[in-house]
Short mmCIF file of all heavy atoms in Angstrom, two decimals:
data_model
loop_
_atom_site.label_atom_id
_atom_site.label_comp_id
_atom_site.label_asym_id
_atom_site.label_seq_id
_atom_site.Cartn_x
_atom_site.Cartn_y
_atom_site.Cartn_z
N VAL A 260 -12.01 -13.01 39.57
CA VAL A 260 -11.76 -12.03 40.63
C VAL A 260 -12.39 -10.69 40.30
O VAL A 260 -12.91 -9.99 41.19
CB VAL A 260 -10.24 -11.87 40.86
CG1 VAL A 260 -9.95 -10.65 41.74
CG2 VAL A 260 -9.66 -13.12 41.49
N VAL A 261 -12.40 -10.32 39.03
CA VAL A 261 -12.88 -9.01 38.64
C VAL A 261 -14.39 -8.86 38.86
O VAL A 261 -14.91 -7.74 38.88
CB VAL A 261 -12.51 -8.72 37.16
CG1 VAL A 261 -13.53 -9.34 36.21
CG2 VAL A 261 -12.41 -7.23 36.90
N GLN A 262 -15.10 -9.96 39.04
CA GLN A 262 -16.54 -9.88 39.29
C GLN A 262 -16.85 -9.12 40.57
O GLN A 262 -17.94 -8.58 40.72
CB GLN A 262 -17.13 -11.29 39.40
CG GLN A 262 -17.09 -12.06 38.10
CD GLN A 262 -17.73 -13.43 38.24
OE1 GLN A 262 -18.94 -13.59 38.12
NE2 GLN A 262 -16.89 -14.43 38.50
N GLN A 263 -15.88 -9.05 41.46
CA GLN A 263 -16.09 -8.36 42.72
C GLN A 263 -15.81 -6.86 42.62
O GLN A 263 -16.04 -6.12 43.57
CB GLN A 263 -15.17 -8.97 43.81
CG GLN A 263 -15.20 -10.48 43.87
CD GLN A 263 -16.60 -11.02 44.07
OE1 GLN A 263 -17.39 -10.47 44.85
NE2 GLN A 263 -16.94 -12.10 43.38
N ASP A 264 -15.29 -6.42 41.48
CA ASP A 264 -14.94 -5.01 41.28
C ASP A 264 -15.76 -4.47 40.11
O ASP A 264 -15.39 -4.60 38.95
CB ASP A 264 -13.44 -4.90 40.98
CG ASP A 264 -12.95 -3.44 40.95
OD1 ASP A 264 -13.78 -2.55 40.68
OD2 ASP A 264 -11.74 -3.22 41.14
N ILE A 265 -16.90 -3.86 40.41
CA ILE A 265 -17.84 -3.43 39.39
C ILE A 265 -17.22 -2.44 38.42
O ILE A 265 -17.41 -2.52 37.21
CB ILE A 265 -19.10 -2.82 40.03
CG1 ILE A 265 -19.80 -3.85 40.91
CG2 ILE A 265 -20.05 -2.32 38.94
CD1 ILE A 265 -20.24 -5.10 40.18
N GLN A 266 -16.43 -1.50 38.93
CA GLN A 266 -15.83 -0.50 38.07
C GLN A 266 -14.83 -1.12 37.09
O GLN A 266 -14.79 -0.79 35.90
CB GLN A 266 -15.13 0.58 38.91
CG GLN A 266 -14.64 1.78 38.09
CD GLN A 266 -15.77 2.47 37.34
OE1 GLN A 266 -16.82 2.79 37.92
NE2 GLN A 266 -15.57 2.71 36.06
N LYS A 267 -14.03 -2.05 37.62
CA LYS A 267 -13.05 -2.72 36.77
C LYS A 267 -13.75 -3.60 35.73
O LYS A 267 -13.32 -3.71 34.58
CB LYS A 267 -12.10 -3.56 37.62
CG LYS A 267 -10.85 -4.01 36.86
CD LYS A 267 -9.83 -4.59 37.81
CE LYS A 267 -8.54 -4.95 37.09
NZ LYS A 267 -7.91 -3.79 36.45
N LEU A 268 -14.85 -4.20 36.15
CA LEU A 268 -15.63 -5.02 35.24
C LEU A 268 -16.15 -4.18 34.07
O LEU A 268 -16.09 -4.59 32.91
CB LEU A 268 -16.80 -5.67 35.98
CG LEU A 268 -17.69 -6.62 35.18
CD1 LEU A 268 -16.89 -7.82 34.69
CD2 LEU A 268 -18.86 -7.09 36.04
N ARG A 269 -16.62 -2.97 34.37
CA ARG A 269 -17.12 -2.08 33.33
C ARG A 269 -16.01 -1.60 32.41
O ARG A 269 -16.20 -1.45 31.20
CB ARG A 269 -17.82 -0.88 33.97
CG ARG A 269 -19.16 -1.21 34.62
CD ARG A 269 -19.71 -0.01 35.34
NE ARG A 269 -21.01 -0.28 35.94
CZ ARG A 269 -21.64 0.54 36.77
NH1 ARG A 269 -21.07 1.70 37.12
NH2 ARG A 269 -22.82 0.21 37.26
N ASN A 270 -14.83 -1.39 32.96
CA ASN A 270 -13.72 -0.87 32.16
C ASN A 270 -13.07 -1.94 31.28
O ASN A 270 -12.60 -1.63 30.18
CB ASN A 270 -12.65 -0.26 33.08
CG ASN A 270 -13.12 1.00 33.75
OD1 ASN A 270 -14.04 1.67 33.29
ND2 ASN A 270 -12.51 1.33 34.89
N ASP A 271 -13.04 -3.17 31.78
CA ASP A 271 -12.24 -4.21 31.12
C ASP A 271 -13.06 -5.23 30.33
O ASP A 271 -12.49 -5.96 29.51
CB ASP A 271 -11.40 -4.96 32.15
CG ASP A 271 -10.33 -4.09 32.76
OD1 ASP A 271 -10.24 -2.90 32.39
OD2 ASP A 271 -9.57 -4.58 33.63
N PHE A 272 -14.37 -5.31 30.57
CA PHE A 272 -15.19 -6.33 29.92
C PHE A 272 -16.29 -5.68 29.07
O PHE A 272 -16.64 -4.51 29.26
CB PHE A 272 -15.81 -7.28 30.96
CG PHE A 272 -14.85 -8.31 31.46
CD1 PHE A 272 -13.79 -7.96 32.28
CD2 PHE A 272 -15.00 -9.65 31.12
CE1 PHE A 272 -12.89 -8.90 32.75
CE2 PHE A 272 -14.11 -10.61 31.59
CZ PHE A 272 -13.05 -10.23 32.40
N ILE A 273 -16.81 -6.48 28.13
CA ILE A 273 -17.81 -5.97 27.20
C ILE A 273 -18.75 -7.10 26.80
O ILE A 273 -18.37 -8.28 26.81
CB ILE A 273 -17.13 -5.37 25.94
CG1 ILE A 273 -18.14 -4.67 25.04
CG2 ILE A 273 -16.36 -6.44 25.17
CD1 ILE A 273 -17.50 -3.90 23.89
N ASN A 274 -19.98 -6.75 26.47
CA ASN A 274 -20.93 -7.70 25.93
C ASN A 274 -20.30 -8.40 24.73
O ASN A 274 -19.80 -7.75 23.80
CB ASN A 274 -22.20 -6.94 25.52
CG ASN A 274 -23.27 -7.83 24.93
OD1 ASN A 274 -23.00 -8.70 24.10
ND2 ASN A 274 -24.50 -7.60 25.32
N MET A 275 -20.30 -9.72 24.73
CA MET A 275 -19.62 -10.50 23.70
C MET A 275 -20.06 -10.10 22.29
O MET A 275 -19.25 -9.79 21.41
CB MET A 275 -19.87 -11.99 23.91
CG MET A 275 -19.26 -12.88 22.83
SD MET A 275 -19.87 -14.59 22.93
CE MET A 275 -19.04 -15.13 24.42
N LYS A 276 -21.36 -10.10 22.04
CA LYS A 276 -21.86 -9.79 20.69
C LYS A 276 -21.65 -8.32 20.34
O LYS A 276 -21.42 -7.99 19.17
CB LYS A 276 -23.33 -10.16 20.57
CG LYS A 276 -23.58 -11.66 20.51
CD LYS A 276 -25.03 -11.97 20.18
CE LYS A 276 -25.25 -13.46 20.06
NZ LYS A 276 -26.65 -13.80 19.73
N GLU A 277 -21.71 -7.45 21.33
CA GLU A 277 -21.47 -6.04 21.07
C GLU A 277 -20.05 -5.83 20.54
O GLU A 277 -19.84 -5.08 19.57
CB GLU A 277 -21.67 -5.22 22.34
CG GLU A 277 -21.42 -3.72 22.15
CD GLU A 277 -21.54 -2.94 23.45
OE1 GLU A 277 -21.99 -3.50 24.46
OE2 GLU A 277 -21.14 -1.75 23.44
N GLN A 278 -19.07 -6.51 21.14
CA GLN A 278 -17.70 -6.36 20.67
C GLN A 278 -17.56 -6.92 19.26
O GLN A 278 -16.88 -6.32 18.40
CB GLN A 278 -16.72 -7.07 21.60
CG GLN A 278 -15.29 -7.02 21.06
CD GLN A 278 -14.26 -7.46 22.05
OE1 GLN A 278 -13.73 -6.66 22.80
NE2 GLN A 278 -13.96 -8.76 22.06
N MET A 279 -18.19 -8.04 18.97
CA MET A 279 -18.11 -8.63 17.63
C MET A 279 -18.68 -7.67 16.58
O MET A 279 -18.09 -7.47 15.52
CB MET A 279 -18.87 -9.96 17.61
CG MET A 279 -18.22 -11.04 18.48
SD MET A 279 -19.31 -12.46 18.81
CE MET A 279 -19.37 -13.23 17.21
N ILE A 280 -19.82 -7.06 16.89
CA ILE A 280 -20.44 -6.12 15.96
C ILE A 280 -19.54 -4.90 15.74
O ILE A 280 -19.35 -4.44 14.61
CB ILE A 280 -21.83 -5.69 16.48
CG1 ILE A 280 -22.79 -6.88 16.44
CG2 ILE A 280 -22.39 -4.52 15.66
CD1 ILE A 280 -24.10 -6.63 17.18
N LEU A 281 -18.98 -4.39 16.83
CA LEU A 281 -18.08 -3.24 16.72
C LEU A 281 -16.84 -3.57 15.91
O LEU A 281 -16.38 -2.77 15.08
CB LEU A 281 -17.67 -2.76 18.12
CG LEU A 281 -18.75 -2.07 18.95
CD1 LEU A 281 -18.26 -1.85 20.38
CD2 LEU A 281 -19.13 -0.73 18.31
N ASP A 282 -16.30 -4.77 16.10
CA ASP A 282 -15.06 -5.13 15.43
C ASP A 282 -15.22 -5.30 13.93
O ASP A 282 -14.40 -4.81 13.16
CB ASP A 282 -14.47 -6.40 16.06
CG ASP A 282 -13.73 -6.11 17.34
OD1 ASP A 282 -13.37 -4.95 17.56
OD2 ASP A 282 -13.49 -7.05 18.13
N ILE A 283 -16.27 -5.98 13.50
CA ILE A 283 -16.41 -6.16 12.05
C ILE A 283 -16.80 -4.84 11.38
O ILE A 283 -16.33 -4.54 10.28
CB ILE A 283 -17.44 -7.28 11.71
CG1 ILE A 283 -17.31 -7.64 10.23
CG2 ILE A 283 -18.86 -6.88 12.07
CD1 ILE A 283 -18.03 -8.91 9.84
N GLY A 284 -17.60 -4.03 12.05
CA GLY A 284 -17.96 -2.73 11.49
C GLY A 284 -16.76 -1.81 11.39
O GLY A 284 -16.55 -1.15 10.36
N SER A 285 -15.94 -1.77 12.43
CA SER A 285 -14.75 -0.91 12.42
C SER A 285 -13.74 -1.38 11.39
O SER A 285 -13.13 -0.57 10.68
CB SER A 285 -14.10 -0.90 13.80
OG SER A 285 -14.98 -0.35 14.77
N LEU A 286 -13.55 -2.71 11.28
CA LEU A 286 -12.60 -3.22 10.30
C LEU A 286 -13.04 -2.88 8.88
O LEU A 286 -12.21 -2.51 8.04
CB LEU A 286 -12.44 -4.74 10.45
CG LEU A 286 -11.45 -5.39 9.49
CD1 LEU A 286 -10.04 -4.82 9.69
CD2 LEU A 286 -11.43 -6.91 9.66
N GLU A 287 -14.32 -2.98 8.59
CA GLU A 287 -14.81 -2.64 7.25
C GLU A 287 -14.54 -1.18 6.91
O GLU A 287 -14.12 -0.85 5.79
CB GLU A 287 -16.30 -2.93 7.14
CG GLU A 287 -16.62 -4.39 6.93
CD GLU A 287 -18.05 -4.61 6.52
OE1 GLU A 287 -18.94 -3.82 6.93
OE2 GLU A 287 -18.31 -5.57 5.78
N ILE A 288 -14.76 -0.30 7.86
CA ILE A 288 -14.51 1.13 7.63
C ILE A 288 -13.03 1.37 7.36
O ILE A 288 -12.65 2.12 6.45
CB ILE A 288 -15.00 1.96 8.83
CG1 ILE A 288 -16.53 1.92 8.91
CG2 ILE A 288 -14.51 3.41 8.72
CD1 ILE A 288 -17.09 2.51 10.19
N ILE A 289 -12.17 0.72 8.14
CA ILE A 289 -10.72 0.88 7.97
C ILE A 289 -10.29 0.34 6.61
O ILE A 289 -9.49 0.97 5.90
CB ILE A 289 -9.99 0.16 9.12
CG1 ILE A 289 -10.21 0.92 10.44
CG2 ILE A 289 -8.50 0.04 8.82
CD1 ILE A 289 -9.75 0.16 11.67
N LEU A 290 -10.80 -0.83 6.21
CA LEU A 290 -10.46 -1.40 4.90
C LEU A 290 -10.96 -0.50 3.78
O LEU A 290 -10.28 -0.32 2.76
CB LEU A 290 -11.06 -2.80 4.76
CG LEU A 290 -10.43 -3.89 5.63
CD1 LEU A 290 -11.23 -5.19 5.51
CD2 LEU A 290 -8.97 -4.14 5.24
N ASN A 291 -12.13 0.07 3.95
CA ASN A 291 -12.68 0.95 2.92
C ASN A 291 -11.75 2.15 2.68
O ASN A 291 -11.49 2.54 1.54
CB ASN A 291 -14.07 1.44 3.34
CG ASN A 291 -14.81 2.11 2.20
OD1 ASN A 291 -15.12 1.49 1.19
ND2 ASN A 291 -15.07 3.39 2.35
N ASN A 292 -11.24 2.72 3.76
CA ASN A 292 -10.29 3.84 3.64
C ASN A 292 -8.99 3.39 2.96
O ASN A 292 -8.42 4.10 2.13
CB ASN A 292 -9.98 4.43 5.01
CG ASN A 292 -11.18 5.11 5.64
OD1 ASN A 292 -12.10 5.55 4.94
ND2 ASN A 292 -11.21 5.17 6.96
N LEU A 293 -8.55 2.19 3.31
CA LEU A 293 -7.29 1.67 2.79
C LEU A 293 -7.39 1.36 1.29
O LEU A 293 -6.40 1.48 0.56
CB LEU A 293 -6.93 0.40 3.56
CG LEU A 293 -5.48 -0.04 3.62
CD1 LEU A 293 -4.61 1.05 4.22
CD2 LEU A 293 -5.36 -1.33 4.44
N TRP A 294 -8.58 0.98 0.84
CA TRP A 294 -8.78 0.58 -0.56
C TRP A 294 -8.69 1.76 -1.53
O TRP A 294 -8.52 1.55 -2.73
CB TRP A 294 -10.14 -0.09 -0.71
CG TRP A 294 -10.13 -1.58 -0.86
CD1 TRP A 294 -10.82 -2.31 -1.79
CD2 TRP A 294 -9.41 -2.54 -0.07
NE1 TRP A 294 -10.57 -3.66 -1.62
CE2 TRP A 294 -9.72 -3.82 -0.57
CE3 TRP A 294 -8.54 -2.44 1.00
CZ2 TRP A 294 -9.17 -4.99 -0.04
CZ3 TRP A 294 -8.00 -3.59 1.54
CH2 TRP A 294 -8.32 -4.85 1.03
N ALA A 295 -8.75 2.98 -1.02
CA ALA A 295 -8.75 4.15 -1.91
C ALA A 295 -7.47 4.21 -2.74
O ALA A 295 -7.52 4.50 -3.95
CB ALA A 295 -8.91 5.43 -1.09
N LYS A 296 -6.32 3.94 -2.14
CA LYS A 296 -5.05 4.08 -2.86
C LYS A 296 -4.91 3.06 -3.99
O LYS A 296 -4.63 3.45 -5.14
CB LYS A 296 -3.87 4.00 -1.89
CG LYS A 296 -2.51 4.13 -2.60
CD LYS A 296 -1.38 4.25 -1.61
CE LYS A 296 -0.03 4.21 -2.31
NZ LYS A 296 0.11 5.26 -3.36
N PRO A 297 -5.07 1.74 -3.73
CA PRO A 297 -4.93 0.81 -4.86
C PRO A 297 -5.96 1.05 -5.96
O PRO A 297 -5.65 0.90 -7.14
CB PRO A 297 -5.11 -0.58 -4.22
CG PRO A 297 -5.70 -0.33 -2.88
CD PRO A 297 -5.25 1.02 -2.45
N ILE A 298 -7.18 1.45 -5.60
CA ILE A 298 -8.19 1.74 -6.62
C ILE A 298 -7.76 2.93 -7.47
O ILE A 298 -7.81 2.88 -8.71
CB ILE A 298 -9.56 1.99 -5.96
CG1 ILE A 298 -10.15 0.68 -5.44
CG2 ILE A 298 -10.53 2.64 -6.97
CD1 ILE A 298 -11.43 0.86 -4.64
N ASN A 299 -7.33 3.99 -6.81
CA ASN A 299 -6.90 5.18 -7.57
C ASN A 299 -5.68 4.90 -8.44
O ASN A 299 -5.59 5.35 -9.59
CB ASN A 299 -6.60 6.33 -6.60
CG ASN A 299 -7.85 6.87 -5.94
OD1 ASN A 299 -8.96 6.71 -6.45
ND2 ASN A 299 -7.69 7.51 -4.79
N ASP A 300 -4.73 4.13 -7.90
CA ASP A 300 -3.52 3.82 -8.66
C ASP A 300 -3.83 2.99 -9.90
O ASP A 300 -3.32 3.25 -10.99
CB ASP A 300 -2.51 3.07 -7.78
CG ASP A 300 -1.89 3.98 -6.71
OD1 ASP A 300 -2.04 5.21 -6.83
OD2 ASP A 300 -1.27 3.44 -5.77
N LEU A 301 -4.68 1.98 -9.73
CA LEU A 301 -5.00 1.11 -10.86
C LEU A 301 -5.92 1.81 -11.86
O LEU A 301 -5.80 1.59 -13.07
CB LEU A 301 -5.66 -0.18 -10.35
CG LEU A 301 -4.71 -1.17 -9.66
CD1 LEU A 301 -5.49 -2.35 -9.10
CD2 LEU A 301 -3.63 -1.67 -10.62
N ARG A 302 -6.82 2.64 -11.38
CA ARG A 302 -7.69 3.38 -12.31
C ARG A 302 -6.87 4.31 -13.20
O ARG A 302 -7.15 4.44 -14.40
CB ARG A 302 -8.75 4.18 -11.53
CG ARG A 302 -9.89 3.33 -11.03
CD ARG A 302 -10.94 4.12 -10.30
NE ARG A 302 -11.77 4.90 -11.20
CZ ARG A 302 -12.93 5.45 -10.85
NH1 ARG A 302 -13.38 5.30 -9.61
NH2 ARG A 302 -13.64 6.14 -11.71
N LYS A 303 -5.86 4.93 -12.60
CA LYS A 303 -5.01 5.80 -13.40
C LYS A 303 -4.28 5.00 -14.48
O LYS A 303 -4.22 5.40 -15.66
CB LYS A 303 -4.00 6.52 -12.51
CG LYS A 303 -3.07 7.49 -13.26
CD LYS A 303 -2.13 8.19 -12.30
CE LYS A 303 -1.28 9.22 -13.05
NZ LYS A 303 -0.46 8.62 -14.12
N LEU A 304 -3.72 3.86 -14.09
CA LEU A 304 -3.00 3.03 -15.04
C LEU A 304 -3.90 2.52 -16.15
O LEU A 304 -3.53 2.53 -17.33
CB LEU A 304 -2.36 1.84 -14.32
CG LEU A 304 -1.10 2.12 -13.48
CD1 LEU A 304 -0.72 0.90 -12.66
CD2 LEU A 304 0.06 2.53 -14.39
N PHE A 305 -5.09 2.06 -15.77
CA PHE A 305 -5.98 1.42 -16.75
C PHE A 305 -6.71 2.45 -17.61
O PHE A 305 -6.68 2.38 -18.85
CB PHE A 305 -6.99 0.53 -16.01
CG PHE A 305 -7.73 -0.45 -16.88
CD1 PHE A 305 -7.52 -1.80 -16.75
CD2 PHE A 305 -8.66 -0.02 -17.83
CE1 PHE A 305 -8.22 -2.72 -17.55
CE2 PHE A 305 -9.35 -0.92 -18.63
CZ PHE A 305 -9.12 -2.27 -18.48
N PHE A 306 -7.37 3.40 -16.99
CA PHE A 306 -8.29 4.27 -17.71
C PHE A 306 -7.67 5.58 -18.18
O PHE A 306 -8.09 6.14 -19.19
CB PHE A 306 -9.53 4.55 -16.85
CG PHE A 306 -10.34 3.32 -16.56
CD1 PHE A 306 -10.14 2.60 -15.40
CD2 PHE A 306 -11.28 2.87 -17.46
CE1 PHE A 306 -10.87 1.45 -15.13
CE2 PHE A 306 -12.02 1.73 -17.21
CZ PHE A 306 -11.82 1.02 -16.04
N ASP A 307 -6.69 6.09 -17.44
CA ASP A 307 -6.05 7.35 -17.85
C ASP A 307 -4.81 7.11 -18.71
O ASP A 307 -4.70 7.64 -19.81
CB ASP A 307 -5.68 8.18 -16.62
CG ASP A 307 -6.89 8.60 -15.80
OD1 ASP A 307 -8.01 8.61 -16.36
OD2 ASP A 307 -6.72 8.89 -14.60
N ASP A 308 -3.90 6.29 -18.18
CA ASP A 308 -2.65 6.06 -18.88
C ASP A 308 -2.77 5.00 -19.97
O ASP A 308 -1.92 4.93 -20.86
CB ASP A 308 -1.56 5.62 -17.90
CG ASP A 308 -1.29 6.66 -16.82
OD1 ASP A 308 -1.71 7.81 -17.00
OD2 ASP A 308 -0.67 6.30 -15.79
N LYS A 309 -3.81 4.17 -19.87
CA LYS A 309 -3.97 3.05 -20.82
C LYS A 309 -2.67 2.24 -20.88
O LYS A 309 -2.14 1.94 -21.95
CB LYS A 309 -4.38 3.54 -22.20
CG LYS A 309 -5.66 4.37 -22.19
CD LYS A 309 -5.98 4.93 -23.56
CE LYS A 309 -7.21 5.83 -23.54
NZ LYS A 309 -7.05 7.01 -22.67
N ASN A 310 -2.19 1.90 -19.69
CA ASN A 310 -0.89 1.25 -19.54
C ASN A 310 -0.85 -0.06 -20.34
O ASN A 310 -1.68 -0.95 -20.16
CB ASN A 310 -0.63 0.98 -18.06
CG ASN A 310 0.71 0.37 -17.80
OD1 ASN A 310 0.88 -0.83 -17.84
ND2 ASN A 310 1.69 1.22 -17.50
N LYS A 311 0.14 -0.17 -21.23
CA LYS A 311 0.20 -1.31 -22.13
C LYS A 311 0.42 -2.63 -21.39
O LYS A 311 -0.13 -3.67 -21.77
CB LYS A 311 1.32 -1.09 -23.16
CG LYS A 311 1.03 0.03 -24.15
CD LYS A 311 2.17 0.19 -25.14
CE LYS A 311 1.87 1.29 -26.14
NZ LYS A 311 2.97 1.48 -27.13
N ILE A 312 1.23 -2.59 -20.34
CA ILE A 312 1.49 -3.82 -19.58
C ILE A 312 0.22 -4.30 -18.91
O ILE A 312 -0.13 -5.49 -18.96
CB ILE A 312 2.61 -3.59 -18.54
CG1 ILE A 312 3.92 -3.26 -19.24
CG2 ILE A 312 2.77 -4.82 -17.64
CD1 ILE A 312 5.05 -2.89 -18.29
N LEU A 313 -0.50 -3.37 -18.28
CA LEU A 313 -1.73 -3.75 -17.58
C LEU A 313 -2.79 -4.24 -18.57
O LEU A 313 -3.47 -5.25 -18.32
CB LEU A 313 -2.25 -2.56 -16.77
CG LEU A 313 -3.44 -2.85 -15.85
CD1 LEU A 313 -3.10 -3.95 -14.85
CD2 LEU A 313 -3.87 -1.58 -15.11
N LEU A 314 -2.95 -3.55 -19.67
CA LEU A 314 -3.94 -3.97 -20.67
C LEU A 314 -3.59 -5.35 -21.25
O LEU A 314 -4.49 -6.16 -21.51
CB LEU A 314 -4.03 -2.93 -21.79
CG LEU A 314 -4.65 -1.59 -21.39
CD1 LEU A 314 -4.57 -0.60 -22.55
CD2 LEU A 314 -6.10 -1.75 -20.95
N ARG A 315 -2.31 -5.61 -21.43
CA ARG A 315 -1.90 -6.92 -21.93
C ARG A 315 -2.24 -8.01 -20.92
O ARG A 315 -2.67 -9.10 -21.29
CB ARG A 315 -0.40 -6.92 -22.22
CG ARG A 315 0.06 -8.21 -22.89
CD ARG A 315 1.47 -8.09 -23.45
NE ARG A 315 2.45 -7.85 -22.42
CZ ARG A 315 3.16 -6.73 -22.31
NH1 ARG A 315 2.98 -5.72 -23.13
NH2 ARG A 315 4.05 -6.60 -21.33
N LYS A 316 -2.09 -7.70 -19.63
CA LYS A 316 -2.45 -8.67 -18.61
C LYS A 316 -3.95 -8.96 -18.60
O LYS A 316 -4.39 -10.05 -18.26
CB LYS A 316 -1.99 -8.19 -17.23
CG LYS A 316 -0.47 -8.25 -17.04
CD LYS A 316 -0.07 -7.67 -15.71
CE LYS A 316 1.44 -7.78 -15.49
NZ LYS A 316 1.88 -9.18 -15.33
#
Side-chain angles (χ1 to χ4, degrees):
V260 168
V261 83
Q262 293 182 85
Q263 312 304 320
D264 187 335
I265 299 301
Q266 188 59 49
K267 194 169 184 60
L268 182 62
R269 288 174 179 171
N270 291 338
D271 293 0
F272 281 70
I273 187 172
N274 180 315
M275 177 192 289
K276 287 189 177 180
E277 179 184 349
Q278 176 169 269
M279 293 165 71
I280 292 169
L281 288 171
D282 279 341
I283 193 168
S285 297
L286 181 61
E287 281 193 329
I288 291 170
I289 290 169
L290 290 173
N291 192 64
N292 293 335
L293 204 58
W294 255 227
K296 180 172 174 56
I298 288 174
N299 291 338
D300 289 346
L301 287 175
R302 282 181 75 165
K303 181 178 184 300
L304 284 171
F305 195 113
F306 296 94
D307 297 339
D308 300 344
K309 303 176 184 61
N310 183 273
K311 291 181 179 180
I312 296 174
L313 187 58
L314 290 175
R315 186 167 63 245
K316 289 176 178 292

